[in-house]
Amino acid sequence: MINMPRGTQDILPLEAKKWQYVENMLRKISNNFCYDEIRTPIFESTELFARGVGDTTDIVQKEMYTFLDKSNRSLTLRPEGTAGTVRSYIENKLFAEVIKPQKLFYIGPMFRYERKQKGRYRQFVQYGVEVIGEESPKIDAEVISLAYNIYRSFGLENIKVSINSLGNPEERKAYNEALVKHFEPSIDEFCSDCKNRLYKNPMRILDCKIDAGHKLMKTAPKLLDFLGQESKNYFDEVLKHLDSLEVKYEIDHNLVRGLDYYTHTAFEIMIDNKEVELKTLCGGGRYNGLVEMLGGPAGEKGIGFALSIERLLLALETENISLPLEDNIDIFVVSMGEEAGNYAVKLTNDLRLAGFKVQNDYFDKKMKAQLKLADRYKASFTIIIGEQELEEKELVVKNMANFTQDRVAINEVIKYLEERIKGE
Ligand code: ATP
Ligand code: MG
């Protein structure tokens, strides 16, 4: 037997209902916030991610599924959604649209070669948004509020937003120099990744999972102290809007992203539950330098976030929140005798086309077995057809909730059910 690849999962029908519910909800909220869907390819040129995600990131260094196609092009299964979205924004000249900024969202599979863990897969589904074109603290606050309220709308209360400002590239340069000074004397006490990061990308030391407990982490210089007045004002504005939008947040000085095109706001949404190992549900931030870095016009600013549906579902599970899933059907058609059985096929089809969720028995089972099946399907109504009903052109319609039943003329049955099921 051939098994599924490590780090992937089969989503079986019962679980798929949860996914559908979550995806529908994400689409609905996106729509209310006026974000439109964009669908980009699942594989892109490897070069796009090397540049767009960054050569020094774990994603590019360790986690990409890269392959040569039959014409020796290097392609990569997308590990995240921002690079492809920004590429598409540039390639399709969305910057020339009348409405700016463009407010986009995506839902789709991403691929990373990672160590498998609960809530960490090699194929996982991200929902994300990107707001590209113009910049305003109001946009940053809207994006964070969207992410926050996605979790709230599923009933998750124990969440918090961690937020920081990364300022602009010059401010970060000064900060990076201060970090090198801070860590350099004791760098031997850190992991090999951190040693490599010290000169290449010192801010990423603050993000290290292995050395998170080291005493120098707590005493490290704070980026906020290196921000100029303009950056400080921008950050204050964002926070002011978050207050008025009633988004609960905490400033986290160690929340950093090392790449040059990240500017100003960076945030994460975490679950506040000790039992959950992977607490980060969602990450995002402003990337004012990215469009230009990928070959687009200068001055196009952007902000976005991404979350995975896997971790959202895991969070719901650990918080004991169940989704209101529909697991019943409207009608089960029971028939007795060959002629009635054939008619049941036609009636089932007619009722389905009239908009009801309907099942019948395919195998001319005994009445009792068919009623049992109706029960398993959790049918709200059962229609019973025998030879006599066919002759009299009347069907027995049973309401399974209160066990009442009516005889209904065949040509009245759709109307009868519409009144009772759709409330028409
Ligand atoms: P982590 O620190 O958990 O590796 P990350 O920094 O790599 O996360 P991002 O690239 O910011 O994550 O992706 C945004 C979100 O996507 C994360 O907050 C997380 O919820 C989710 N995510 C990332 N990698 C995976 C994965 N391998 N499986 C499932 N969800 C993931
Ligand atoms: Mg990761």
Side-chain angles (χ1 to χ4, degrees):
M1 200 194 106
I2 299 168
N3 296 112
M4 64 186 163
R6 203 177 163 74
T8 62
Q9 58 175 341
D10 292 321
I11 298 168
L12 301 179
L14 213 58
E15 192 66 15
K17 280 199 197 318
K18 294 187 195 164
W19 281 76
Q20 285 178 8
Y21 182 90
V22 168
E23 285 163 6
N24 288 340
M25 188 87 134
L26 290 170
R27 288 177 190 285
K28 171 131 197 6
I29 301 174
S30 307
N31 192 48
N32 290 348
F33 276 71
C34 296
Y35 287 68
D36 289 323
E37 185 176 9
I38 185 164
R39 301 189 188 203
T40 62
I42 290 193
F43 57 85
E44 298 265 5
S45 295
T46 303
E47 173 68 12
L48 175 70
F49 301 115
R51 276 210 271 158
V53 179
D55 279 336
T56 58
T57 58
D58 281 353
I59 292 182
V60 172
Q61 286 192 344
K62 305 179 191 162
E63 298 174 357
M64 294 207 305
Y65 279 94
T66 297
F67 58 97
L68 291 178
D69 74 2
K70 292 195 194 305
S71 309
N72 271 326
R73 291 183 195 93
S74 179
L75 299 171
T76 293
L77 299 183
R78 62 182 186 191
E80 54 93 62
T82 304
T85 304
V86 171
R87 178 206 45 73
S88 177
Y89 179 86
I90 299 166
E91 194 163 341
N92 296 291
K93 301 195 171 51
L94 296 186
F95 48 80
E97 294 286 320
V98 245
I99 291 187
K100 270 179 106 170
Q102 288 279 297
K103 298 178 23 170
L104 308 167
F105 81 88
Y106 58 83
I107 301 183
M110 305 294 162
F111 305 84
R112 296 185 194 177
Y113 190 76
E114 311 210 57
R115 230 187 0 206
K116 193 185 167 331
Q117 184 183 359
K118 209 170 179 193
R120 191 183 293 290
Y121 297 89
R122 291 183 176 174
Q123 174 176 333
F124 58 103
V125 174
Q126 276 189 340
Y127 162 88
V129 312
E130 315 292 348
V131 183
I132 318 176
E134 311 286 345
E135 166 182 65
S136 159
K138 289 179 184 153
I139 297 174
D140 297 40
E142 176 186 290
V143 165
I144 296 169
S145 164
L146 170 56
Y148 181 75
N149 283 298
I150 282 172
Y151 294 103
R152 299 286 303 221
S153 67
F154 287 104
L156 277 169
E157 303 280 340
N158 287 338
I159 53 164
K160 66 169 188 205
V161 178
S162 293
I163 188 169
N164 196 13
S165 172
L166 307 180
N168 63 35
E170 294 83 65
E171 289 156 356
R172 265 202 319 273
K173 192 159 170 274
Y175 178 58
N176 274 323
E177 283 160 13
L179 283 179
V180 173
K181 272 208 196 100
H182 179 74
F183 287 113
E184 202 170 32
S186 318
I187 195 65
D188 287 342
E189 295 163 25
F190 286 76
C191 73
S192 59
D193 278 344
C194 283
K195 287 189 187 96
N196 285 330
R197 287 164 185 152
L198 181 64
Y199 301 108
K200 271 199 212 140
N201 198 343
M203 274 165 71
R204 289 212 32 240
I205 297 178
L206 299 174
D207 204 20
C208 179
K209 283 168 192 131
I210 300 169
D211 295 316
H214 196 284
K215 61 180 187 304
L216 284 188
M217 292 291 202
K218 281 210 175 65
T219 55
K222 294 181 174 48
L223 183 44
L224 279 187
D225 296 331
F226 288 75
L227 298 190
Q229 201 53 50
E230 215 175 298
S231 293
K232 270 193 194 135
N233 290 347
Y234 192 95
F235 192 42
D236 287 345
E237 283 283 307
V238 175
L239 298 183
K240 192 186 81 189
H241 287 297
L242 290 180
D243 287 332
S244 94
L245 298 175
E246 293 174 41
V247 173
K248 265 195 285 175
Y249 63 85
E250 243 167 47
I251 296 175
D252 176 355
H253 297 287
N254 283 9
L255 181 66
V256 292
R257 269 150 223 262
L259 302 171
D260 277 354
Y261 53 75
Y262 285 115
T263 49
H264 300 296
T265 314
F267 71 99
E268 280 181 351
I269 297 184
M270 333 272 270
I271 181 157
D272 230 352
N273 180 333
K274 287 188 191 66
E275 278 151 46
V276 185
E277 203 179 330
L278 290 170
K279 295 191 170 48
T280 311
L281 301 177
C282 170
R286 185 160 273 294
Y287 47 79
N288 285 350
L290 183 58
V291 177
E292 191 176 359
M293 233 257 311
L294 290 177
E300 295 284 316
K301 321 242 164 107
I303 183 170
F305 69 77
L307 61 85
S308 75
I309 297 185
E310 286 80 0
R311 281 199 208 164
L312 169 57
L313 287 171
L314 196 59
L316 293 176
E317 200 182 297
T318 47
E319 297 290 296
N320 292 317
I321 295 170
S322 51
L323 300 172
L325 302 177
E326 184 193 293
D327 69 341
N328 60 325
I329 69 170
D330 294 324
I331 306 153
F332 192 93
V333 180
V334 173
S335 58
M336 282 161 303
E338 194 181 329
E339 218 183 317
N342 291 337
Y343 177 69
V345 174
K346 166 84 172 108
L347 178 65
T348 299
N349 194 59
D350 287 348
L351 290 170
R352 286 172 177 165
L353 297 182
F356 299 106
K357 191 172 170 187
V358 194
Q359 184 57 46
N360 61 320
D361 160 53
Y362 303 119
F363 309 109
D364 305 322
K365 287 198 189 96
K366 295 222 166 70
M367 172 93 165
K368 210 173 146 196
Q370 290 190 45
L371 286 171
K372 210 167 170 182
L373 202 53
D375 248 8
R376 294 237 163 95
Y377 270 103
K378 299 187 186 150
S380 305
F381 287 83
T382 312
I383 293 179
I384 299 167
I385 321 169
E387 305 296 329
Q388 193 195 342
E389 280 76 20
L390 270 191
E391 228 161 78
E392 292 169 8
K393 296 203 177 345
E394 269 189 1
L395 307 174
V396 176
V397 184
K398 253 180 136 153
N399 181 330
M400 306 304 275
N402 58 19
F403 303 108
T404 57
Q405 66 177 59
D406 285 316
R407 286 183 82 84
V408 183
I410 279 183
N411 54 12
E412 294 279 315
V413 76
I414 289 184
K415 191 163 156 267
Y416 176 93
L417 289 164
E418 268 170 356
E419 281 165 10
R420 282 157 184 82
I421 293 175
K422 300 183 192 160
E424 281 164 16

